[in-house]
Amino acid sequence: MCGIVGYVGSREATPVLLDGLKRLEYRGYDSAGIAVVGDDGVVRVARSEGKLGNLTEKISQNPPPGRFGVGHTRWATHGRPSEENAHPHRDASGRVVVIHNGIIENFLPIKQRLQKEGVRFLSETDTEVVAQALGASQKAEPLTPFAEIVRKTVASFEGMFALVLFSADEPGVLYALKWGPPIVLGLGEGENFVASDATALLAYTRDLIFLEDGDLARVTASGVTVTGFDGAPRERPASRVPWDAVSAEKGGYPHFMAKEIAEQPTVVIETIGNKLSLETGVFNEEEMGVPRALLRGIDLVQIVACGTSWHAGLVGKFLLEQIARVRAEVDYASEFRYRSPLVDEKTLVLGISQSGETADTVAALKEARRLGARTTGLVNVPGSAIARMVDGVIATHAGPEIGVASTKAFTTQLVALALFAHYVKAARAEKEEPVDAAFLAGLARLPAALREALALEPEIEKLARRLEHARDILFLGRGAHYPIALEGALKLKEISYVHAEGYPGGEMKHGPIALIDDALPVIGLAPDDALYEKIASNLREAKARDGIVIALVSPGDADVSTFADAVITIPKIHPALQPIVSVVPLQLLAYHVARRRGCDVDQPRNLAKSVTVE
């Protein structure tokens, strides 16, 4: 959640730190700060509550000089949002500086011990406890190398934490530690970087080292060394990511979310990539993340995910059962490991996460491995925690997604799941045969269908004018479109703050129908598929109770269109791919309702892009 940036090199550090923090604003934060060590050895700290612009304005006349420092955007966990609780934090001497993402669960007894020793705390945070503990140890053992003090101190911490810290008495050296939340190192020429996300570094380097749990990196201008918390050397090779800084910018769009919605026709093709030949219908086993032989021995695909990725998992369940005829279950990752799950060596546990760092999904996969299951990850970020821990990876190739409300990451997950369902079917067949021609034709048409859906934006913007003052909205779908109804409701809630709920159409009579009156918009997903008559009946029931019926239908619709108050005609495509096209108008609707309501589209309140602590 918190944003972390560190720099050591020959440039002025302050502009680099502020630029990196700007690129991490999408993560969500309530305060910001930097600490820079000048050539005179003085540590200069600037912090501010609120947006990064407050900090930038504060230091505009006198930016801290120096070529070595750290920056941070904070998401409050311990202590209210305030300048006093903003990072960086220092010890009593002011020479030890710490920034942090995560939670030190046993901070209170450590703090109480230090207070008894006479240490005075200036904030409510668990992070200051880290700085004060380091400073107290350094004061007690002045001849001990700071790296050793760091190792000894960290050994006493419990919880999940990513720490970047330094002592001004060891100039030009940053220490980065990982136990849970992500830390990435960026390698430059005569300069090196640290961040919580590769996005912060892409303007400077694409050569990255992703730290593993238990890693402690020593970062100087001339190089990087990595050890364990015990001091034992660890090999962490650098990898070159295929993104550049331009791909993380808005590209002329008013919001990142608008840009990312518009990118969907491109990124779905990149997700298909070389996983499947559209000419021969044959899968590339290596790109699909799971050996064919393994799939023949499983009797359950257990999907674990959170939020939007969970909705993708629900669609995946329908696809796996309908296409591959394999049993599939979907769990919230946050609940999976707390319910004594029944998985074994015949279970494939599939973790879905855009960032690949979602704490609950990481924990669920660890539990699955402990129970003997095989694991695979469907992720967007190469080198992420999930990508490194699973038996195989299915990559979505959506590129950086900056807007907090997921759009292109979701549609690429759906593409990957449709491919995976057909791959599982082929792998489990007695004689493997190419994918059927209709599905291949649908994949080839998918980018065009998405462009057609995007072209509906003027109609959807008009619809947004009708809905911007709605207090509640009900979304209905059947089959694989029930998760799309959930996703449409979630998007609207996330960025417009309108209360919305998604339901299977058949469940409307079991409670939600009581809500329907002449002020309630009911958005129904009614494409021409096997369940069309069912959802049409559900929408008729809503209309009979004076509900405002808004329907997404296929071309040539002759039933729902006759009684709906508003109709959006969406492109028709292969049934396994229809949810991908159907969700685009709902993304656009949420976006335009949010804009009309004056909401912060890219950084909605109380939300963060990556949930890296439980």
Side-chain angles (χ1 to χ4, degrees), residues 147 151 176 211-218 225-236:
R151 281 192 286 269
L211 296 188
E212 304 277 358
D213 283 352
D215 282 354
L216 190 163
R218 186 177 187 270
T225 57
V226 181
T227 67
F229 289 176
D230 59 0
R234 291 186 172 186
E235 290 294 324
R236 294 287 179 254

Side-chain angles (χ1 to χ4, degrees), residues 301-317:
V301 176
Q302 173 66 64
I303 298 171
V304 291
C306 300
T308 286
S309 294
W310 184 75
H311 297 159
L314 288 174
V315 177
K317 171 183 168 66

Side-chain angles (χ1 to χ4, degrees), residues 354-415:
Q354 186 280 138
S355 67
E357 301 284 352
T358 308
D360 290 313
T361 308
V362 170
L365 288 166
K366 286 181 179 177
E367 176 66 5
R369 295 186 68 165
R370 187 186 72 80
L371 294 171
R374 300 299 293 270
T375 59
T376 190
L378 200 164
V379 300
N380 185 44
V381 179
S384 62
I386 289 176
R388 299 193 302 271
M389 71 183 288
V390 293
D391 298 316
V393 173
I394 306 170
T396 55
H397 299 292
E401 186 178 68
I402 306 303
V404 167
S406 182
T407 52
K408 65 176 181 173
F410 177 68
T411 50
T412 55
Q413 287 170 351
L414 295 184
V415 172

Side-chain angles (χ1 to χ4, degrees), residues 16 18 50 58 60 83 182 217 238 241 271 387 402 431 440 450 460 500 564 595:
V16 176
L18 292 176
K58 185 175 184 177
S60 61
E83 186 171 326
V241 299
T271 297
I402 306 303
K431 181 182 178 182
L440 291 176
L450 288 170
I460 294 165
R595 288 195 70 180

Side-chain angles (χ1 to χ4, degrees), residues 263-342:
E263 287 174 340
Q264 290 175 116
T266 300
V267 296
V268 297
I269 285 294
E270 293 176 354
T271 297
I272 297 167
N274 62 353
K275 293 181 179 70
L276 172 68
S277 169
L278 297 182
E279 295 181 7
T280 65
V282 176
F283 282 100
N284 181 330
E285 183 176 35
E286 183 177 349
E287 289 290 320
M288 290 308 301
V290 185
R292 292 181 175 90
L294 185 153
L295 292 170
R296 298 184 189 110
I298 64 166
D299 56 20
L300 170 67
V301 176
Q302 173 66 64
I303 298 171
V304 291
C306 300
T308 286
S309 294
W310 184 75
H311 297 159
L314 288 174
V315 177
K317 171 183 168 66
F318 281 101
L319 297 176
L320 284 163
E321 292 184 345
Q322 291 174 354
I323 295 168
R325 304 304 299 158
V326 63
R327 191 161 58 97
E329 300 293 342
V330 186
D331 260 288
Y332 285 113
S334 56
E335 295 295 326
F336 176 76
R337 63 191 172 115
Y338 296 119
R339 65 166 182 81
S340 301
L342 297 174

Side-chain angles (χ1 to χ4, degrees), residues 24-168:
L24 294 176
E25 282 192 298
Y26 69 92
R27 295 170 72 94
Y29 67 101
D30 51 54
S31 57
I34 62 172
V36 177
V37 182
D39 293 341
D40 55 4
V42 174
V43 181
R44 295 174 175 87
V45 175
R47 303 182 297 181
S48 179
E49 184 180 353
K51 294 295 186 181
L52 186 61
N54 296 344
L55 176 66
T56 304
E57 183 178 355
K58 185 175 184 177
I59 64 174
S60 61
Q61 299 303 313
N62 190 23
R67 292 182 284 274
F68 157 54
V70 295
H72 189 271
T73 50
R74 176 178 185 254
W75 182 265
T77 52
H78 290 87
R80 69 191 187 286
S82 68
E83 186 171 326
E84 293 76 17
N85 289 328
H87 299 210
H89 287 284
R90 291 187 281 180
D91 75 326
S93 73
R95 305 287 287 168
V96 174
V97 177
V98 178
I99 56 176
H100 170 214
N101 177 24
I103 297 173
I104 308 296
E105 293 176 355
N106 63 332
F107 84 100
L108 189 55
I110 299 173
K111 182 175 184 177
Q112 291 169 340
R113 172 179 60 81
L114 291 168
Q115 285 174 324
K116 288 179 181 178
E117 295 172 3
V119 175
R120 187 170 71 91
F121 284 80
L122 303 177
S123 78
E124 305 166 88
T125 69
D126 54 341
T127 307
E128 188 186 356
V129 173
V130 178
Q132 297 286 13
L134 288 166
S137 295
Q138 189 176 45
K139 182 178 179 180
E141 305 175 56
L143 299 181
T144 302
F146 189 62
E148 183 61 27
I149 288 172
V150 171
R151 281 192 286 269
K152 286 181 180 179
T153 304
V154 169
S156 66
F157 296 156
E158 298 173 7
M160 300 181 68
F161 47 85
L163 295 165
V164 178
L165 52 93
F166 65 81
S167 169

Side-chain angles (χ1 to χ4, degrees), residues 25-30 51 75 404-405 471 490-499 594 597-609:
E25 282 192 298
Y26 69 92
R27 295 170 72 94
Y29 67 101
D30 51 54
K51 294 295 186 181
W75 182 265
V404 167
R471 291 174 57 88
L490 178 62
K491 283 290 142 311
L492 197 66
K493 280 186 280 197
E494 284 180 318
I495 63 171
S496 74
Y497 317 141
V498 173
H499 174 249
R597 289 169 62 90
C599 301
D600 190 339
V601 171
D602 286 333
Q603 298 175 53
R605 68 190 182 203
N606 301 333
L607 294 177
K609 184 64 176 174

